[in-house]
Amino acid sequence: MRKLFITFIVSILACQMQAKVQTLTSPNGRIKVEINVADRISYQVSAGNELLLADCQASLQVGKEWLGRNAKLKGVKRSAINQTISNVVPLKNATTQNHANVLTLQFAGNYALEFRAYDNGFAYRFVLNRKGTVDIVDEGMTWRFPEASTLHISKTNTFVTSCEEPYVHLSSAEWKPEDGMTHLPILAESAKGTKMLFSEADLRDYPNTFLMSMGSNCLKAIFPKAPEAWEPLGDRSETITREGNYIAHTSANRTLPWRYVVIGDAATIASNEMGRCLAPPCELSDVSWIRPGKVIWDWWNNWSVWNVDFPVGINNPTYKYFIDFAANYGIEYILLDEGWCRDVRNPFEMVDDIDVSELVEYGKSKGVGVWLWMTWLAVEQHPDVIEHYAKMGVKGLKIDFMDHSDQWMVNFYERTTKACAKHHLMVDFHGSFKPAGLEYRYPNLLAYEGVRGMEQCGGCTPDNTIWLPLMRNAVGAMDFTPGSMNSMQPKYYVTSRSNPAGMGTRAYQMALYVIFETGLQMLADSPTRYMQNDECARFIASVPVTWDETRVLSAKAGKYIVVAKRKGERWFVAALTNNESQDLTLDLGFLTRNGQLTAFRDGTNAHRVAVDYRKQQQAVSPSTKLSIHLAPSGGWCGVIE
């Protein structure tokens, strides 16, 4: 009888645990995640008294089995994380505080769901604890808004994308299933104005996530299938001719990528380090050779220098001129972009006028390193090219045109970055997807493109760019390629291949260097043009790419942003706006003592003649409040010493 009674009690407790809604709150109690385990696993998320996400589903199809459907809850574990992370490449802060409450739900069938609640958002992931390998056929992930929310997304009709589409802004009620899809990250705004940044982290041996509408204010995750056969596509890529019926063939004993949402106002989104908190630790024992910095770039300015006594172009005299400029301005690197090798499919054979070894040695004598551009296909087909140029003394590779983000290509990123690390080469991925954690495991990966940057010229408008601190750059390093001295207002914009121009005022272009975050920051314009604008170039060259401390002083989504960043004893402060003028007040209360401000502001006529700027200097203190005016597509930047 006693045995039957105990069995009865255990059965009751098991049923109660099975039906119970599990609640997880952030350390400050503001963010609450409620997970319901029934015939399916669903959850809802609120911030304070505002319900932000409702009836969101989490499931995983492994072979023919759907994990998360009719799930049997076996155990519940609660814990907390409270750690300080030291950053190898500190794009925001020298250290990052990782503070979260954790809820792990263990299910029959040897899998679990792990949730984390942070003061500025939440994350979850599947954990598999099985043997061998599995085919993951699909992941059932939905994000549902309880009422219509405003979405800021990059629409694409195909998984083949360089992630450079402009942002579109629409209601979740207007976005239909037939309207295409978007890649991550995306930004949503609730009816009350709360911002939500959606992305993923710790992406390994798994495809990138895309989203499409399901209607009824609900977004659904979709994934590129795993490729099984390819054929050549031009001289720099391949096209997939056959796909598997799964999205990933992978280990059955692993964690899957984190799905995360940052929640708060615009300043919270721009200052978040959620991806850093969710990343696994660095896998390199020696990182002393990794040197973030700035690089003078050739392609955008079309190798155009003048007032010289040699024919300019893709030749050693032109690149030596670039090296001399870099040395004079304290810029760490030059980059040889497309054109230095005779055929992009053969990165070992240079054109007649290029000798990379000679340029490396010349740069060494001037304290300037050399980077080389290559296609991903060349690296894939000639993996020994990494060791070849590393032995020559090249410092890094800019690898381009991946344009895919399936499991195979995600693994290409990792094995290439790892091979480069073995030979002490740094990496910049162009034609790429967004950062998702590899850069923390292998911090020699300094930058990703995956952005509508200035190389788009007339397609790179301030109205689009103003969203980047809250979207693309909010999830990691971003190679935007700023720095045009040939600055123009959008309504007067003209450009040509031999005389490229950038949108935004001169002060706007300079402010980008303070606000945008990347471990490898380009100077896109001609060395000659920079020397003609020496005081602007000197300021740009002085802006660090890594920081001890970052503060977002104020921001309004799609309108403006003001940021202050500290490196040692110096504070750099900058502001950007969209295509509308702004009058802002900068409170310097973050200072701990008095200092001297050197600032660059939009000139009186910058609304017409975008190169118009004024330099000013003044004493400042922690009680100083600066009134600044930003012209349309304008900016402001300065340094306090």
Side-chain angles (χ1 to χ4, degrees):
M1 178 65 71
R2 182 178 179 184
K3 184 176 181 181
L4 289 174
F5 177 75
I6 293 174
T7 302
F8 176 70
I9 293 298
V10 169
S11 298
I12 291 176
L13 292 174
C15 291
Q16 288 177 341
M17 183 173 69
Q18 189 69 20
K20 184 179 179 182
V21 173
Q22 303 292 331
T23 300
L24 178 67
T25 58
S26 59
N28 66 3
R30 178 174 172 269
I31 304 295
K32 181 168 69 172
V33 185
E34 297 173 90
I35 305 102
N36 183 37
V37 179
D39 58 335
R40 56 191 174 90
I41 298 172
S42 63
Y43 64 90
Q44 66 179 32
V45 182
S46 55
N49 295 322
E50 184 181 9
L51 180 64
L52 296 172
L53 295 168
D55 194 26
C56 302
Q57 296 185 35
S59 59
L60 187 73
Q61 186 179 2
V62 179
K64 295 182 179 180
E65 179 185 8
W66 272 101
L67 309 184
R69 296 183 182 178
N70 298 311
K72 294 180 172 54
L73 186 62
K74 290 181 60 180
V76 177
K77 180 181 178 182
R78 296 180 182 272
S79 59
I81 300 171
N82 194 359
Q83 64 178 166
T84 299
I85 305 170
S86 295
N87 296 314
V88 177
V89 181
L91 298 183
K92 275 189 169 73
N93 301 291
T95 59
T96 299
Q97 298 305 310
N98 186 13
H99 189 197
N101 289 330
V102 183
L103 172 66
T104 303
L105 305 178
Q106 187 69 48
F107 296 96
N110 296 318
Y111 72 96
L113 267 174
E114 180 183 351
F115 286 83
R116 290 187 188 179
Y118 289 87
D119 289 343
N120 66 339
F122 80 98
Y124 83 88
R125 66 178 174 182
F126 274 93
V127 181
L128 300 180
N129 185 22
R130 299 180 171 192
K131 295 180 180 180
T133 59
V134 293
D135 285 340
I136 297 180
V137 178
D138 197 8
E139 184 175 343
M141 177 177 69
T142 63
W143 281 319
R144 184 184 299 275
F145 305 103
E147 56 184 329
S149 298
T150 302
L151 302 179
H152 310 283
I153 63 175
S154 294
K155 279 190 177 181
T156 177
N157 292 317
T158 172
F159 291 120
V160 181
T161 174
S162 59
C163 302
E164 297 179 30
E165 298 86 359
Y167 293 128
V168 295
H169 315 279
L170 72 169
S171 168
S172 60
E174 298 170 355
W175 192 21
K176 306 301 181 186
E178 62 270 19
D179 289 343
M181 55 188 177
T182 180
H183 46 79
L184 294 175
I186 71 165
L187 185 70
E189 298 182 70
S190 73
K192 294 183 179 179
T194 302
K195 313 296 185 293
M196 293 168 277
L197 177 74
F198 297 77
S199 198
E200 59 188 339
D202 194 19
L203 180 68
R204 293 176 290 112
D205 197 29
Y206 205 81
N208 266 257
T209 302
F210 291 71
L211 296 173
M212 63 177 290
S213 172
M214 292 182 66
S216 303
N217 300 312
C218 185
L219 310 183
K220 172 187 176 182
I222 52 175
F223 304 87
K225 298 289 188 181
E228 293 185 338
W230 304 258
E231 64 181 26
L233 179 65
D235 65 354
R236 61 198 60 200
S237 193
E238 293 189 343
T239 186
I240 298 169
T241 57
R242 190 177 73 249
E243 297 177 331
N245 62 353
Y246 52 91
I247 64 174
H249 178 76
T250 188
S251 170
N253 185 12
R254 57 164 296 186
T255 58
L256 269 60
W258 288 103
R259 285 64 181 88
Y260 73 83
V261 184
V262 183
I263 299 169
D265 59 13
T268 299
I269 301 298
S271 60
N272 94 88
E273 293 185 277
M274 183 79 78
R276 179 70 189 98
C277 292
L278 297 172
C282 175
E283 296 186 21
L284 302 180
S285 57
D286 175 20
V287 296
S288 61
W289 54 274
I290 299 173
R291 301 291 176 87
K294 290 181 288 295
V295 55
I296 181 72
W297 184 37
D298 52 1
W299 184 89
W300 190 83
N301 59 65
N302 198 34
W303 299 267
S304 296
V305 298
W306 53 96
N307 298 329
V308 295
D309 57 3
F310 57 85
V312 299
I314 302 175
N315 56 46
N316 271 32
T318 300
Y319 283 114
K320 287 183 178 180
Y321 183 89
F322 275 64
I323 289 170
D324 289 341
F325 166 80
N328 185 33
Y329 282 79
I331 295 165
E332 293 86 349
Y333 305 108
I334 72 160
L335 168 66
L336 278 65
D337 211 290
E338 182 172 0
W340 66 270
C341 53
R342 194 176 303 281
D343 185 333
V344 298
R345 291 165 291 195
N346 179 10
F348 296 103
E349 186 178 354
M350 306 167 207
V351 297
D352 292 341
D353 293 332
I354 289 292
D355 184 334
V356 172
S357 181
E358 180 184 333
L359 291 175
V360 167
E361 291 306 312
Y362 185 76
K364 221 181 263 187
S365 72
K366 300 280 187 171
V368 177
V370 173
W371 282 62
L372 296 177
W373 172 94
M374 296 178 190
T375 68
W376 75 268
L377 189 59
V379 176
E380 175 65 16
Q381 294 180 342
H382 305 281
D384 51 337
V385 76
I386 293 173
E387 181 178 8
H388 175 78
Y389 283 108
K391 286 182 176 179
M392 194 178 290
V394 168
K395 297 299 182 182
L397 300 181
K398 174 183 172 181
I399 301 172
D400 206 348
F401 287 104
M402 285 74 68
D403 295 340
H404 286 260
S405 54
D406 48 64
Q407 181 193 23
W408 187 94
M409 188 58 78
V410 168
N411 290 342
F412 167 83
Y413 278 65
E414 177 164 344
R415 68 172 178 271
T416 301
T417 304
K418 187 175 181 179
C420 285
K422 178 181 177 181
H423 296 286
H424 288 193
L425 280 179
M426 293 170 284
V427 180
D428 175 17
F429 282 122
H430 265 232
S432 67
F433 52 75
K434 85 294 177 199
L438 180 62
E439 66 278 10
Y440 298 116
R441 296 169 56 212
Y442 296 97
N444 59 309
L445 173 48
L446 295 182
Y448 301 72
E449 191 187 24
V451 62
R452 195 169 188 83
M454 202 175 72
E455 72 173 35
Q456 296 282 348
C457 292
C460 180
T461 65
D463 274 351
N464 192 77
T465 300
I466 195 63
W467 290 96
L468 296 179
L470 276 68
M471 295 183 65
R472 169 60 185 81
N473 213 184
V475 302
M478 179 183 74
D479 193 353
F480 179 87
T481 62
S484 171
M485 296 291 98
N486 192 16
S487 310
M488 295 185 185
Q489 284 288 353
K491 62 182 177 180
Y492 302 124
Y493 185 82
V494 292
T495 189
S496 68
R497 187 68 186 97
S498 62
N499 189 34
M503 288 193 190
T505 66
R506 174 65 60 80
Y508 172 98
Q509 286 288 331
M510 296 168 66
L512 295 175
Y513 286 87
V514 179
I515 292 178
F516 285 172
E517 300 169 359
T518 179
L520 185 73
Q521 185 63 278
M522 302 278 181
L523 280 75
D525 217 328
S526 162
T528 305
R529 202 183 295 277
Y530 283 126
M531 288 187 286
Q532 290 176 338
N533 298 275
D534 181 74
E535 65 181 6
C536 298
R538 294 285 176 191
F539 176 83
I540 289 171
S542 73
V543 179
V545 300
T546 58
W547 303 94
D548 296 325
E549 182 179 355
T550 292
R551 301 190 186 193
V552 179
L553 302 183
S554 62
K556 187 173 182 179
K559 298 293 185 180
Y560 64 84
I561 186 168
V562 186
V563 174
K565 297 182 177 182
R566 181 179 62 82
K567 182 77 168 186
E569 298 292 321
R570 297 187 299 169
W571 280 94
F572 288 79
V573 188
L576 291 177
T577 186
N578 61 358
N579 201 27
E580 301 171 350
S581 63
Q582 299 286 345
D583 290 290
L584 303 172
T585 299
L586 304 189
D587 186 341
L588 303 187
F590 57 85
L591 297 177
T592 57
R593 54 183 170 174
N594 298 345
Q596 181 75 11
L597 167 68
T598 301
F600 296 82
R601 63 175 176 83
D602 291 328
T604 304
N605 295 297
H607 64 290
R608 297 180 62 227
V609 185
V611 294
D612 186 19
Y613 75 93
R614 290 293 180 269
K615 181 181 177 181
Q616 63 188 66
Q617 292 183 313
Q618 70 180 84
V620 294
S621 72
S623 62
T624 299
K625 292 179 173 56
L626 297 174
S627 296
I628 65 171
H629 174 77
L630 307 182
S633 304
W636 183 97
C637 57
V639 58
I640 301 169
E641 302 182 81

